[in-house]
């Protein structure tokens, strides 16, 4: 199960990397950072708040904005799936 998750994660990041609009230095590391930001949560009395995703909405990157936003959304989806499993 863990190996399947890692392969799914790597394929998602790779597909986001391939859909970039402009060349950007260290883009793969930035996508991983946006993914991790999207998965960051804050829990108050059992209510899970996607704090990292909300923070990522306020970031305004100049290059590859849609790809980075997609990486944060991918992190949010993985976080939501992990809540149910």
């Amino acid at each position: 199960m863990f190996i399947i998750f890692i392969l799914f994660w790597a394929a998602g990041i790779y597909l986001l990397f391939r859909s970039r609009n402009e060349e950007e230095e260290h883009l793969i590391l930035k996508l991983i950072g946006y993914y991790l930001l999207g998965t960051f949560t804050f829990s108050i009395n059992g209510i899970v708040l996607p704090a990292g995703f909300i923070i990522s909405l306020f970031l305004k990157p100049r290059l590859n904005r849609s790809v980075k936003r997609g990486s944060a959304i991918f992190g949010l989806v993985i976080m939501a799936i992990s809540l149910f499993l």
Side-chain angles (χ1 to χ4, degrees):
M1 181 71 170
F2 182 71
I3 292 175
I4 293 170
F5 174 75
I6 293 295
L7 290 174
F8 178 71
W9 176 81
I13 295 294
Y14 178 73
L15 289 174
L16 285 167
F17 180 74
R18 292 279 313 255
S19 67
R20 67 189 182 272
N21 299 329
E22 296 116 355
E23 290 295 322
E24 185 174 352
E25 197 169 319
H26 306 296
L27 179 62
I28 194 76
L29 295 176
K30 292 175 184 178
L31 290 179
I32 292 171
Y34 272 88
Y35 166 81
L36 292 174
L37 191 60
T39 60
F40 180 73
T41 60
F42 187 70
S43 181
I44 300 175
N45 295 331
I47 299 172
V48 178
L49 302 171
F53 181 73
I54 294 170
I55 291 170
S56 74
L57 293 175
F58 291 106
L59 298 176
K60 302 293 183 198
R62 284 185 239 150
L63 299 173
N64 297 310
R65 180 176 294 181
S66 64
V67 175
K68 291 174 184 174
R69 179 70 45 93
S71 184
I73 291 170
F74 180 57
L76 180 68
V77 168
I78 295 296
M79 182 270 305
I81 291 172
S82 70
L83 287 177
F84 296 113
L85 294 180

